[in-house]
Amino acid sequence: MVKDTVFLMNQVINNPQPQFIIVEGANAAMLDIDFGTYPYVTSSNCTVGGVLTGLGVPARAIGDVFGVVKAYTTRVGDGPFPTELTEEIGAGLQQRGAEFGVTTKRPRRCGWLDLVVVKYTHMLNGYSALAMTKLDILDALDEIKIGVAYRHEGKLLDSFPAELTLLDKVQVDYITLKGWKQDISAARKFEDLPKEALNYIQVVEEQLGVPVRWIGVGKKRDDVIERQ
């Protein structure tokens, strides 16, 4: 069935009976052509603004915005990657997380979770909550790091760098946490997670000021913890 989707969606939005439209983004926020790490971007807007310009819905219609973030950071192809792990740990994340492009089969570069990047995307999108995927991929690690700030020549930066040349030169401040060293795939409640994994999630929430509502703990569709 072919429809004028602008008209159809605005009919739904303005219907007196409550109805909802779910819009799923296909690319990561840092691939956004305007706000991403240009030129290592895609050809369109991957941030929430793309919903308005791409689908023709008014800004007032936007309700909750849920961000999806892995428990570690990945990148396909070239470009600066401050938290990248180039040796054994990075290779382990790549293998355990099956970090290979679906179409191209290119290996994804892997690194520690970079909250400087996530904070920047929160500035752009205004997340209501986060879904954190692949927490189980960190199961095997003795210790886990989270990138929380950037420095350049010893000076703390107050935001994500707008210049790619600067991003390529930053040093990362990390919080180091103890790993949980156990299989978490059977967990279905937040309190089922080991205390170290709970701590990991709580540190992320404290640093971002955004709740983590969903946590992926395995490969299967139902390997998810949902918090209310």
Side-chain angles (χ1 to χ4, degrees):
M1 182 173 65
V2 178
K3 286 271 189 177
D4 179 340
T5 55
V6 174
F7 180 69
L8 176 64
M9 286 189 293
N10 278 274
Q11 271 191 317
V12 173
I13 290 166
N14 295 307
N15 193 307
Q17 299 300 319
Q19 298 185 64
F20 298 95
I21 298 170
I22 298 175
V23 181
E24 179 183 1
N27 292 107
M30 297 309 294
L31 295 177
D32 188 279
I33 191 168
D34 292 318
F35 301 107
T37 50
Y38 187 87
Y40 306 104
V41 294
T42 189
S43 59
S44 59
N45 292 112
C46 313
T47 46
V48 71
V51 175
L52 310 181
T53 59
L55 299 180
V57 299
R60 63 174 176 79
I62 300 294
D64 286 321
V65 178
F66 300 119
V68 181
V69 61
K70 292 176 187 174
Y72 51 97
T73 300
T74 60
R75 178 163 200 153
V76 177
D78 297 328
F81 190 168
T83 64
E84 184 172 14
L85 293 162
T86 57
E87 298 181 356
E88 183 179 351
I89 296 176
L93 294 176
Q94 189 183 84
Q95 292 297 323
R96 284 175 54 80
E99 296 293 351
F100 300 92
V102 176
T103 303
T104 65
K105 306 303 180 186
R106 283 193 301 172
R108 299 188 184 107
R109 299 154 64 193
C110 298
W112 298 121
L113 179 59
D114 189 337
L115 291 188
V116 181
V117 170
V118 184
K119 284 180 183 177
Y120 175 66
T121 67
H122 178 38
M123 287 173 56
L124 297 171
N125 295 293
Y127 300 132
S128 308
L130 293 176
M132 177 173 282
T133 65
K134 295 192 171 185
L135 185 65
D136 56 299
I137 304 305
L138 306 180
D139 284 357
L141 299 178
D142 293 314
E143 67 175 28
I144 302 164
K145 295 184 179 183
I146 300 175
V148 294
Y150 291 164
R151 294 180 185 271
H152 180 247
E153 296 180 349
K155 182 181 178 181
L156 187 67
L157 303 182
D158 59 6
S159 64
F160 185 82
E163 300 173 39
L164 214 60
T165 53
L166 178 57
L167 181 61
D168 205 25
K169 297 175 182 176
V170 299
Q171 300 83 46
V172 183
D173 284 358
Y174 290 101
I175 293 175
T176 302
L177 304 174
K178 185 179 178 182
W180 43 94
K181 297 286 289 182
Q182 60 181 284
D183 183 358
I184 61 170
S185 61
R188 290 298 178 271
K189 297 179 181 178
F190 190 56
E191 55 268 26
D192 292 341
L193 292 171
K195 63 181 182 181
E196 295 86 359
L198 294 175
N199 187 40
Y200 187 83
I201 298 295
Q202 288 162 354
V203 168
V204 170
E205 292 180 321
E206 289 167 4
Q207 289 288 320
L208 296 176
V210 181
V212 177
R213 183 170 170 184
W214 299 274
I215 305 164
V217 294
K219 295 180 180 179
K220 295 182 291 186
R221 291 181 67 88
D222 61 350
D223 288 345
V224 177
I225 295 170
E226 181 174 4
R227 301 164 70 196
Q228 299 301 323

